[in-house]
């Protein structure tokens, strides 16, 4: 990854068009959008009953969407009587928009728990498949799982790979470990009080191209080991969010140990060997991963594992193969870095009115409102290519100057799409915007 030295802001673009606005009139807080390459977007509602919402673009939808077509609370968009998933959270979709993953709270019977589910969005009759399960058997020896396996004690915060094959999630249950896919464990070491295990669920462990198989060896669930390779890498729940790349091989997450923040990267979940990338006394953001590239925000000075010198706060993209970095410092507060699935684009939100890259000259942002979050997209080969400043200038009625735009999500760069959260008068909505081809490529 080469160092970026020359920058030009492309804020005067008039060809950019808003092609979809996903807003439910009764929603007060839509959070954490996630977007597929075909434009399928999912998000979570903050307040009870939390649920996973899905919006699927269509040529039949007007531009902009009328009120009857927005905020579609549907898991199966082709179903005329959509099914709502209550108490569901942290949804993600595979790159092709087919596989949806989420976790769902279950309050009956007590005590309350939660499970991780995957659903096929292309099948109107598909039912959610629980993948956080344990204690199953093949008593008759026919190579097919007998009966329904036991749900986990608790499983939350899933992430899905671009292909939909790999799902990672957090659990406190040591009995989910099933490395051979035969239901026989062995159980992992139980986590200490307040700690969690990270599980890697392979939906095609036998490699035959069929997902969600019930046969022995068809799927596996393995805990992520620490650097010794034997003991689970126990993590605290605070700020732990999992990020899988397009292939499902790379995994990244941040965690708080009680004394420091740590940033971790796993190059290959099939042969896991966690690498500690950086440490800090200040929080790291939820990282985003694309192959060997890792994007994160550091809110304070931090230390790369391979460097003797501390690094200043900012937004970073590091190539874990070469340790080369792109460092963006700003004069504002930054968050939610997101890489495109191919690792060529970086999006984040910031209150900045100026920035610099790799210690270069400070670049002022024209017409930027101080202390208001905007979403920025940078081409990591050389240019910042887009910002919600364009939308504010082109349509201040829909994008008021003081309405924060935060939490961006990117598909593959070739899809020319971005999703983000906009907050207007305390009401949050998810926006999906089409970036013109002339801008990105």
């Amino acid at each position: 990854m080469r160092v970026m030295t020359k920058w030009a802001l492309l804020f005067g673009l008039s060809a950019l068009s808003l092609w979809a606005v996903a807003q439910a009139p009764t929603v007060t807080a839509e959070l954490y959008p996630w977007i597929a390459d075909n434009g399928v977007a999912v998000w979570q509602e903050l307040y009870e009953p939390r649920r996973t919402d899905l919006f699927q673009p269509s040529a039949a939808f007007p531009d902009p969407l009328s009120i009857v077509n927005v905020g579609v609370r549907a898991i199966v968009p082709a179903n005329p009587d959509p099914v709502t998933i209550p108490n569901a959270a942290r949804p993600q979709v595979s790159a092709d928009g087919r596989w949806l993953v989420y976790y769902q709270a279950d309050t009956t019977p007590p005590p309350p728990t939660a499970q991780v589910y995957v659903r096929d969005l292309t099948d109107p009759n598909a039912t959610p498949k629980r993948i956080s399960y344990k204690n199953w058997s093949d008593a008759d020896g026919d190579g097919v799982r007998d009966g329904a396996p036991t749900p986990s004690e608790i499983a939350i915060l899933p992430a899905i790979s671009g292909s939909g094959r790999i799902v990672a999630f957090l659990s406190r249950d040591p009995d989910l470990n099933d490395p051979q896919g035969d239901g026989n464990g062995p159980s992992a070491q139980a986590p200490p009080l307040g700690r969690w295990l990270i599980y890697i669920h392979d939906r095609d462990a036998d490699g035959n191209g069929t997902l969600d198989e019930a046969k022995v060896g068809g799927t596996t669930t393995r805990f992520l080991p620490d650097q010794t390779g034997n003991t689970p890498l126990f993590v605290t729940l605070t700020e732990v969010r999992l990020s899988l790349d397009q292939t499902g091989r790379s995994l990244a997450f941040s965690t708080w140990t009680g004394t420091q923040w740590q940033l971790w990267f796993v190059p290959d979940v099939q042969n896991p060997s966690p690498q500690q990338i950086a440490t800090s006394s200040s929080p790291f953001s939820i990282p985003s991963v694309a192959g060997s590239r890792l994007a994160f925000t550091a809110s304070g000075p931090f230390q790369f594992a391979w460097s003797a010198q501390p690094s200043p706060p900012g937004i970073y993209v590091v190539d874990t193969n070469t340790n080369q970095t792109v460092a963006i410092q700003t004069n504002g507060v930054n968050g939610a870095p997101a890489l495109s699935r191919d690792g060529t684009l970086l999006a984040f939100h910031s209150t900045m009115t100026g920035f610099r890259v790799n210690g270069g000259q400070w670049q002022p942002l024209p017409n930027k409102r101080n202390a208001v979050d905007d979403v920025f997209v940078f081409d990591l080969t050389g240019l910042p290519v887009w910002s919600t400043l364009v939308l504010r200038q082109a349509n201040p009625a829909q994008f008021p100057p003081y309405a924060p735009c935060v939490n961006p999500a990117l598909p593959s760069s070739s899809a020319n799409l971005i999703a983000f959260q906009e907050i207007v008068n305390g009401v949050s909505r998810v926006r999906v915007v089409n970036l013109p081809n002339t801008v990105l490529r």
Side-chain angles (χ1 to χ4, degrees):
M1 185 186 308
R2 69 182 181 87
V3 174
M4 296 173 286
T5 58
K6 184 176 178 62
W7 297 78
L9 293 175
L10 306 181
F11 291 146
L13 301 170
S14 59
L16 185 144
S17 64
L18 180 70
W19 66 268
V21 180
Q23 178 189 4
T26 59
V27 170
T28 55
E30 297 167 340
L31 298 171
Y32 310 121
W34 195 266
I35 187 167
D37 290 354
N38 64 352
V40 168
V42 294
W43 60 88
Q44 170 192 331
E45 290 183 25
L46 176 62
Y47 300 119
E48 299 292 348
R50 293 179 309 171
R51 58 182 155 197
T52 291
D53 287 2
L54 180 139
F55 166 74
Q56 183 157 17
S58 166
F61 287 169
D63 180 16
L65 294 175
S66 66
I67 199 67
V68 296
N69 290 324
V70 299
V72 182
R73 287 180 172 79
I75 298 308
V76 185
N79 192 332
D81 185 19
V83 178
T84 296
I85 298 183
N87 300 313
R90 289 296 173 142
Q92 292 187 12
V93 286
S94 56
D96 60 3
R98 176 179 180 181
W99 297 106
L100 169 74
V101 65
Y102 59 94
Y103 80 94
Q104 184 176 18
D106 181 7
T107 58
T108 56
T113 184
Q115 305 296 330
V116 172
Y117 295 89
V118 170
R119 185 160 185 171
D120 186 350
L121 297 179
T122 64
D123 182 358
N125 300 313
T127 58
K129 296 180 180 293
R130 183 175 58 236
I131 63 173
S132 52
Y133 55 76
K134 61 182 180 181
N135 300 337
W136 61 274
S137 64
D138 176 23
D140 56 10
D142 64 351
V144 179
R145 185 174 64 207
D146 295 331
T150 304
S152 69
E153 173 191 333
I154 188 170
I156 59 174
L157 299 177
I160 194 168
S161 65
S163 66
R165 171 177 170 173
I166 304 296
V167 176
F169 59 89
L170 294 177
S171 178
R172 291 196 299 255
D173 194 334
D175 295 331
L176 294 185
N177 191 50
D178 186 16
Q180 301 302 318
D182 56 8
N184 292 324
S187 297
Q189 180 179 332
L193 183 65
R195 298 296 183 96
W196 295 67
L197 299 99
I198 297 175
Y199 281 105
I200 311 297
H201 181 76
D202 188 341
R203 303 174 62 214
D204 187 21
D206 56 6
N208 70 354
T210 302
L211 304 181
D212 288 322
E213 291 181 302
K215 73 176 186 178
V216 174
T219 62
T220 58
T221 303
R222 295 172 295 143
F223 66 79
L224 181 70
D226 62 13
Q227 291 169 310
T228 70
N230 300 312
T231 304
L233 180 63
F234 299 121
V235 297
T236 55
L237 184 59
T238 304
E239 289 300 319
V240 174
R241 300 292 184 268
L242 307 176
S243 175
L244 282 165
D245 82 332
Q246 165 76 11
T247 64
R249 300 185 73 88
S250 300
L251 171 71
F253 56 94
S254 62
T255 186
W256 166 250
T257 67
T259 58
Q260 67 176 195
W261 294 86
Q262 296 179 347
L263 191 67
W264 290 86
F265 175 73
V266 182
D268 186 355
V269 297
Q270 303 291 356
N271 298 286
S273 179
Q275 302 174 4
Q276 191 176 110
I277 299 299
T279 58
S280 178
S281 59
S282 301
F284 292 115
S285 70
I286 301 170
S288 177
V289 63
S292 63
R293 290 184 176 181
L294 181 68
F296 63 95
T297 296
S299 59
F302 69 97
Q303 191 83 32
F304 277 117
W306 55 82
S307 175
Q309 300 297 323
S311 297
I315 306 104
Y316 285 80
V317 178
V318 58
D319 190 314
T320 57
N321 286 337
T322 64
N323 297 341
Q324 290 182 300
T325 62
V326 174
I328 303 174
Q329 272 79 51
T330 78
N331 61 355
V333 178
N334 318 300
L339 289 171
S340 59
R341 287 190 173 93
D342 52 11
T344 61
L345 297 178
L346 168 70
F348 61 91
H349 67 244
S350 178
T351 61
M352 66 181 178
T353 58
F355 70 94
R356 67 176 180 176
V357 180
N358 291 333
Q361 295 294 317
W362 282 92
Q363 305 288 332
L365 299 176
N367 303 316
K368 178 69 173 70
R369 298 284 184 176
N370 190 31
V372 176
D373 273 296
D374 272 292
V375 168
F376 298 88
V377 179
F378 281 53
D379 186 331
L380 294 176
T381 63
L383 291 172
V385 296
W386 185 80
S387 168
T388 49
L389 291 176
V390 181
L391 296 177
R392 298 188 195 281
Q393 295 169 8
N395 194 336
Q398 290 216 27
F399 292 87
Y402 294 100
C405 295
V406 295
N407 294 332
L410 289 171
S412 300
S413 61
S414 58
N416 296 336
L417 300 173
I418 187 171
F420 56 88
Q421 178 186 348
E422 183 195 20
I423 304 169
V424 180
N425 297 325
V427 177
S428 176
R429 68 196 73 183
V430 171
R431 302 271 193 175
V432 180
V433 173
N434 185 13
L435 304 178
N437 295 334
T438 53
V439 176
L440 292 184
R441 289 292 178 266

